[in-house]
Amino acid sequence: MAPRADLFELGSLALDPGEARTVELDIELQPVTVGAQPYEPQPASVPARLDVSRTVAGWSLRLRFDPAVEGPCTRCLDRARAALELDLREYHQPGGGEELASPYIEQGALDLRAWARDAVVLELPTYILCRENCLGICSACGENLNDAGPDHDHPAEPDARWAKLSDVRFD
Ligand SMILES: [Zn+2]
Ligand SMILES: [Zn+2]
């Protein structure tokens, strides 16, 4: 099988136990879904720094990159952006049992795309907002309250029974 571009062959570094190498590479990011809303990575490809250490029994990895995604604001549906600074660690000890095996490494190939995608999904905030104090949309008329101004209000409908009384004048 031909190696995929998103797979990094750890063996290609030809490290002996105790040796380490830092690799600069680009990671292709994938669209993610947060709260049933789609978010696109922006930019789609980000530079990353991968530290690879060969241990006696396996690998110790550190991956750093700063992804950002864009999509609808959770409150008002305007365009929103969330930026992350990720510093991830992964350990892999083949034959050491399931808890010592990384889900992103198979036969010496590191699946950077899957690792990056899972980390982005995990680290994104539950609410992605267009601004820190987004006011959302008006529940009565649907207008974006960020644009509407502080005076936007809907006086409660006067109760029909009281409407008649308001015609009564007390002199
Ligand atoms: Zn908003
Ligand atoms: Zn309104």
Side-chain angles (χ1 to χ4, degrees):
M1 199 173 78
R4 301 209 312 267
D6 48 65
L7 291 179
F8 183 81
E9 295 289 343
L10 295 168
S12 70
L13 297 175
L15 297 175
D16 286 326
E19 286 187 326
R21 182 87 52 85
T22 296
V23 186
E24 309 278 348
L25 35 79
D26 288 327
I27 294 187
E28 287 294 323
L29 298 169
Q30 294 168 284
V32 295
T33 301
V34 179
Q37 299 281 6
Y39 292 86
E40 288 286 333
Q42 206 63 252
S45 170
V46 291
R49 169 175 294 213
L50 175 67
D51 297 320
V52 181
S53 299
R54 185 91 164 92
T55 63
V56 176
W59 304 93
S60 169
L61 307 171
R62 182 182 187 188
L63 181 65
R64 282 168 283 182
F65 63 109
D66 298 341
V69 299
E70 286 185 9
C73 169
T74 311
R75 286 192 194 143
C76 75
L77 300 182
D78 248 3
R79 196 122 190 98
R81 179 179 176 89
L84 300 170
E85 292 177 13
L86 298 184
D87 187 346
L88 314 172
R89 312 275 178 152
E90 195 69 25
Y91 303 95
H92 185 60
Q93 191 177 316
E98 208 159 284
E99 66 274 17
L100 294 175
S102 164
Y104 308 119
I105 299 176
E106 205 167 320
Q107 299 187 347
L110 170 65
D111 191 342
L112 279 168
R113 237 165 96 133
W115 188 10
R117 181 201 56 223
D118 287 355
V120 169
V121 169
L122 200 68
E123 296 296 329
L124 277 176
T126 314
Y127 299 100
I128 296 175
L129 302 178
C130 62
R131 65 200 82 185
E132 201 179 331
N133 49 358
C134 170
L135 299 171
I137 54 176
C138 174
S139 57
C141 72
E143 191 170 345
N144 187 327
L145 293 175
N146 299 303
D147 306 330
D151 297 332
H152 185 84
D153 193 16
H154 297 272
E157 287 290 318
D159 190 305
R161 288 169 299 171
W162 298 107
K164 286 205 178 74
L165 285 180
S166 68
D167 292 336
V168 178
R169 301 265 170 168
F170 300 97
D171 295 319

